[in-house]
Amino acid sequence: MTRPILETEELTKRFGSLVANDKLSVTVEEDTIHGIMGPNGSGKSTFFNTVTGFYRPDGGTVRFDGEDVTGWKPDEIARRGLARTFQIPSPFEDLTVRENMLAVFTGGIRSGMRISEEKRARADELLELLEIDHVADQEAGGISGGQEKLLELGRILMLEPACVMLDEPTAGVNPSLRNRLLDHLETLNDRGTTFVIIEHDMRVIADVCDRVTVFNQGQVLVEGDFESVTTDERVRDAYLGGAAEHDASLETLIGEGSNASASEEVEAPDAGAATDAGATAANAGADPASTGGAGVVPAGGASEAASAAASSTSALSGIGAESDGEPWLVGEDLVSGYGNHRVVDGVSMESRDGVTCVFGPNGSGKSTLLKTLAGVVPAWEGRVTHRGVDVTDNGPAENVHRGVTMLPQDGGIFGDLTVRENLLLGGYTVSDGAVREERFDEVLSSFPELEGKLDERGRSLSGGQQMMLSYGRAMMTGAEVYLLDEPSSGLAPSLIDQVFEMTRRLVESGAQVVLIEQNVREALRIADYVYILAQGQLQFEGTPGDLTDEDDLVELYLGLD
């Protein structure tokens, strides 16, 4: 009979006004492999960090092997028998693989601690078990990303933990090495090690996990075996996003969308929703991650704002030319990542007239792909072109000059600068003062809440106002291609429609938009073309009309076979 080895009771962690873990109660049974699933922002990594002592909880308890370890330091928890790995390993690159394994037992270069023969023998045993003994004497900086993952696991196993928490153990690992890694986990589990796994490759969860807990918005949504949780409608809603009509088919949702021509009239959102957005933004705290709102539709309503933004003489489309029906930004066979870890693996995509949406589970490479297109992350292979010109080696500043602007997920405003300074910084590439002033006036017309706060610092704004400022600063560049990384992330449902309306208005100003979005159902309303990624590779591309079967979409989105 199994017994609990790890238990959390009403575990709570806050960051300002954002509740990342909201009274999480999770039980992990001894000698099992327990999976943790959930969409981006559901609280999975915060849970790992809080349980293992990297964050101090704001409430609740953590019990390990019957002992209350709440608030213990990470090293104390690790030596007690609860260890964890990180998504991106950080070995000592100038030490050999074997030296990295043995470094777990040193107290520093001046400690004088000697490593016992017993520990040396254990290192050799683990190197052989994990099949990296052939690189044992190579410097860790020269091994592959997959081998780094195995080394990270080996270093943790040197502590002989009873339970290991693994954060994305197969991310960036090639399929053959992935299967070896999973085999090793099952072997270790059979020998008595318990594992808790965060993993976005659903095949991993399906193959090795005895039980699965799904998080959503910082809470436990559902628990059970893999089949039961992945067929649960609540899990579908969490991953694909809610819809105004939850029983509506994807075909109905797509048909109701505004992804027709930009010249069609834009329907204003419900007046009550607009009122709620204004009230929420006014009352939200200064925390940029607050769910208090990011109302981006001016107080006058969506129709008024859309009319202003749709003007053919708008200075906001100063860089972009009239649509020629051609893709302006193109990525061909792109490969990129971090360190030795390949995240984007041979992806080709392009911006198109309208809104091009990029979907996929967390960890699938969406943000890395966007950063590669923007020049923030270098392309290892492949190329990026803008209007036929090779810009693969361009940095982000060069691309902004060309008319390609990225809006990061957190908005990226400068908290110590005033609202005015943030906006003018967006227009620094504009040499024509009259054009810059016209854009400035149009941004304030779109976001009238900012006009009375021009001399206030960015960090003093509510979460919703900070989102307005982020959009406004991007608009000041006069870009023709906007790369938007989850602009609706963390927003209240009543505000999501308004963010998407703002996105559609960028198109009406003459721009092409590439949008990364977790809320698939709502994004499909404004999408003109869709790409779906999983495990860094393209799984689908086509029009929203090709995605009318939700079962197919779920399989594509979650990376299920």
Side-chain angles (χ1 to χ4, degrees), residues 475-486:
M475 292 160 61
M476 284 291 295
T477 67
E480 65 177 20
V481 179
Y482 289 89
L483 308 175
L484 308 182
D485 192 354
E486 298 197 41

PDB file of all heavy atoms in Angstrom, residues 475-486:
ATOM      1  N   MET A 475       2.897  51.311 -31.205  1.00  0.00           N
ATOM      2  CA  MET A 475       2.263  52.036 -32.303  1.00  0.00           C
ATOM      3  C   MET A 475       3.071  53.263 -32.708  1.00  0.00           C
ATOM      4  O   MET A 475       3.048  53.677 -33.868  1.00  0.00           O
ATOM      5  CB  MET A 475       0.845  52.436 -31.893  1.00  0.00           C
ATOM      6  CG  MET A 475      -0.096  51.237 -31.753  1.00  0.00           C
ATOM      7  SD  MET A 475      -1.571  51.585 -30.752  1.00  0.00           S
ATOM      8  CE  MET A 475      -2.343  52.883 -31.711  1.00  0.00           C
ATOM      9  N   MET A 476       3.801  53.841 -31.756  1.00  0.00           N
ATOM     10  CA  MET A 476       4.610  55.025 -32.064  1.00  0.00           C
ATOM     11  C   MET A 476       5.698  54.722 -33.090  1.00  0.00           C
ATOM     12  O   MET A 476       6.178  55.620 -33.776  1.00  0.00           O
ATOM     13  CB  MET A 476       5.257  55.565 -30.788  1.00  0.00           C
ATOM     14  CG  MET A 476       4.317  56.336 -29.881  1.00  0.00           C
ATOM     15  SD  MET A 476       3.793  57.916 -30.572  1.00  0.00           S
ATOM     16  CE  MET A 476       5.359  58.813 -30.618  1.00  0.00           C
ATOM     17  N   THR A 477       6.112  53.463 -33.208  1.00  0.00           N
ATOM     18  CA  THR A 477       7.145  53.124 -34.186  1.00  0.00           C
ATOM     19  C   THR A 477       6.618  53.208 -35.609  1.00  0.00           C
ATOM     20  O   THR A 477       7.410  53.237 -36.554  1.00  0.00           O
ATOM     21  CB  THR A 477       7.689  51.704 -33.941  1.00  0.00           C
ATOM     22  OG1 THR A 477       6.657  50.744 -34.217  1.00  0.00           O
ATOM     23  CG2 THR A 477       8.166  51.533 -32.498  1.00  0.00           C
ATOM     24  N   GLY A 478       5.294  53.195 -35.781  1.00  0.00           N
ATOM     25  CA  GLY A 478       4.731  53.192 -37.118  1.00  0.00           C
ATOM     26  C   GLY A 478       5.014  51.909 -37.857  1.00  0.00           C
ATOM     27  O   GLY A 478       5.184  51.896 -39.076  1.00  0.00           O
ATOM     28  N   ALA A 479       5.061  50.795 -37.120  1.00  0.00           N
ATOM     29  CA  ALA A 479       5.472  49.523 -37.708  1.00  0.00           C
ATOM     30  C   ALA A 479       4.489  49.054 -38.770  1.00  0.00           C
ATOM     31  O   ALA A 479       3.311  49.396 -38.748  1.00  0.00           O
ATOM     32  CB  ALA A 479       5.602  48.462 -36.616  1.00  0.00           C
ATOM     33  N   GLU A 480       4.991  48.227 -39.670  1.00  0.00           N
ATOM     34  CA  GLU A 480       4.122  47.564 -40.636  1.00  0.00           C
ATOM     35  C   GLU A 480       3.915  46.097 -40.266  1.00  0.00           C
ATOM     36  O   GLU A 480       3.007  45.451 -40.764  1.00  0.00           O
ATOM     37  CB  GLU A 480       4.682  47.669 -42.046  1.00  0.00           C
ATOM     38  CG  GLU A 480       5.993  46.940 -42.270  1.00  0.00           C
ATOM     39  CD  GLU A 480       6.446  47.033 -43.715  1.00  0.00           C
ATOM     40  OE1 GLU A 480       5.975  47.952 -44.421  1.00  0.00           O
ATOM     41  OE2 GLU A 480       7.263  46.195 -44.135  1.00  0.00           O
ATOM     42  N   VAL A 481       4.780  45.558 -39.387  1.00  0.00           N
ATOM     43  CA  VAL A 481       4.605  44.209 -38.875  1.00  0.00           C
ATOM     44  C   VAL A 481       4.720  44.261 -37.359  1.00  0.00           C
ATOM     45  O   VAL A 481       5.730  44.724 -36.823  1.00  0.00           O
ATOM     46  CB  VAL A 481       5.659  43.225 -39.433  1.00  0.00           C
ATOM     47  CG1 VAL A 481       5.437  41.830 -38.843  1.00  0.00           C
ATOM     48  CG2 VAL A 481       5.615  43.173 -40.951  1.00  0.00           C
ATOM     49  N   TYR A 482       3.669  43.808 -36.671  1.00  0.00           N
ATOM     50  CA  TYR A 482       3.661  43.735 -35.213  1.00  0.00           C
ATOM     51  C   TYR A 482       3.738  42.275 -34.783  1.00  0.00           C
ATOM     52  O   TYR A 482       2.969  41.434 -35.257  1.00  0.00           O
ATOM     53  CB  TYR A 482       2.388  44.348 -34.629  1.00  0.00           C
ATOM     54  CG  TYR A 482       2.321  45.852 -34.736  1.00  0.00           C
ATOM     55  CD1 TYR A 482       1.767  46.463 -35.851  1.00  0.00           C
ATOM     56  CD2 TYR A 482       2.796  46.663 -33.713  1.00  0.00           C
ATOM     57  CE1 TYR A 482       1.698  47.843 -35.961  1.00  0.00           C
ATOM     58  CE2 TYR A 482       2.728  48.045 -33.801  1.00  0.00           C
ATOM     59  CZ  TYR A 482       2.184  48.624 -34.926  1.00  0.00           C
ATOM     60  OH  TYR A 482       2.112  49.996 -35.023  1.00  0.00           O
ATOM     61  N   LEU A 483       4.645  41.969 -33.869  1.00  0.00           N
ATOM     62  CA  LEU A 483       4.788  40.641 -33.294  1.00  0.00           C
ATOM     63  C   LEU A 483       4.310  40.714 -31.849  1.00  0.00           C
ATOM     64  O   LEU A 483       4.983  41.324 -31.002  1.00  0.00           O
ATOM     65  CB  LEU A 483       6.244  40.177 -33.365  1.00  0.00           C
ATOM     66  CG  LEU A 483       6.908  40.255 -34.748  1.00  0.00           C
ATOM     67  CD1 LEU A 483       8.386  39.878 -34.649  1.00  0.00           C
ATOM     68  CD2 LEU A 483       6.198  39.348 -35.743  1.00  0.00           C
ATOM     69  N   LEU A 484       3.155  40.134 -31.543  1.00  0.00           N
ATOM     70  CA  LEU A 484       2.513  40.273 -30.236  1.00  0.00           C
ATOM     71  C   LEU A 484       2.592  38.958 -29.474  1.00  0.00           C
ATOM     72  O   LEU A 484       2.081  37.931 -29.922  1.00  0.00           O
ATOM     73  CB  LEU A 484       1.049  40.682 -30.399  1.00  0.00           C
ATOM     74  CG  LEU A 484       0.761  41.907 -31.280  1.00  0.00           C
ATOM     75  CD1 LEU A 484      -0.743  42.205 -31.298  1.00  0.00           C
ATOM     76  CD2 LEU A 484       1.541  43.123 -30.797  1.00  0.00           C
ATOM     77  N   ASP A 485       3.223  38.991 -28.301  1.00  0.00           N
ATOM     78  CA  ASP A 485       3.412  37.778 -27.499  1.00  0.00           C
ATOM     79  C   ASP A 485       2.402  37.749 -26.356  1.00  0.00           C
ATOM     80  O   ASP A 485       2.588  38.376 -25.323  1.00  0.00           O
ATOM     81  CB  ASP A 485       4.836  37.733 -26.946  1.00  0.00           C
ATOM     82  CG  ASP A 485       5.192  36.370 -26.358  1.00  0.00           C
ATOM     83  OD1 ASP A 485       4.299  35.513 -26.279  1.00  0.00           O
ATOM     84  OD2 ASP A 485       6.355  36.180 -25.976  1.00  0.00           O
ATOM     85  N   GLU A 486       1.297  37.050 -26.562  1.00  0.00           N
ATOM     86  CA  GLU A 486       0.259  36.829 -25.557  1.00  0.00           C
ATOM     87  C   GLU A 486      -0.207  38.111 -24.874  1.00  0.00           C
ATOM     88  O   GLU A 486      -0.096  38.255 -23.655  1.00  0.00           O
ATOM     89  CB  GLU A 486       0.748  35.831 -24.524  1.00  0.00           C
ATOM     90  CG  GLU A 486       1.044  34.462 -25.124  1.00  0.00           C
ATOM     91  CD  GLU A 486       1.121  33.368 -24.080  1.00  0.00           C
ATOM     92  OE1 GLU A 486       0.290  33.377 -23.169  1.00  0.00           O
ATOM     93  OE2 GLU A 486       2.011  32.538 -24.195  1.00  0.00           O
TER      94      GLU A 486
END
